[in-house]
Amino acid sequence: MADITDIKSILYTEKTLGLQEDGVIVVQTSPRMTKTGLKEVFREYFGIIPSKINSLNQSGKVKRFRGVQGKQNDFKKFYVTLPEGAQIESLAV
């Protein structure tokens, strides 16, 4: 069962801000989130049923810190297309 706590953040970069003008929101979630689970979260908490959802698994970067090699956490990205005219007020930039 998907929950809103599985959503880590909304990504705000130059690319994602350009996509927001077209009604696409980029959401970073935990790797266990699914498309249907994300659709349920948007329906329950925001009252919007997304018209299209694309997913992308992204592996964490390998980094060095004080000479010790480590790896950042893996995450999942979703490109959520909102219906025409729909907008989430709390996510507006």
Side-chain angles (χ1 to χ4, degrees):
M1 180 71 183
D3 193 18
I4 196 156
T5 57
D6 288 331
I7 295 178
K8 292 182 180 178
S9 66
I10 307 297
L11 298 179
Y12 292 108
T13 62
E14 287 185 37
K15 180 180 178 180
T16 60
L17 289 176
L19 289 172
Q20 278 188 358
E21 295 173 0
D22 299 330
V24 178
I25 296 174
V26 182
V27 181
Q28 180 178 348
T29 66
S30 63
R32 68 181 185 162
M33 180 69 93
T34 62
K35 287 183 180 183
T36 54
L38 188 67
K39 198 174 212 180
E40 285 179 20
V41 169
F42 267 81
R43 185 175 38 88
E44 288 178 23
Y45 292 98
F46 302 117
I48 295 173
I49 298 175
S51 58
K52 185 178 175 183
I53 298 177
N54 294 330
S55 64
L56 171 80
N57 283 318
Q58 188 150 358
S59 59
K61 294 180 180 179
V62 176
K63 297 275 190 166
R64 287 188 174 273
F65 183 71
R66 294 186 180 176
V68 179
Q69 188 172 1
K71 183 177 175 289
Q72 294 179 342
N73 293 334
D74 298 341
F75 62 92
K76 203 171 210 181
K77 257 195 310 195
F78 286 97
Y79 291 87
V80 181
T81 305
L82 300 177
E84 191 72 29
Q87 186 178 7
I88 300 174
E89 294 81 26
S90 60
L91 301 180
V93 176

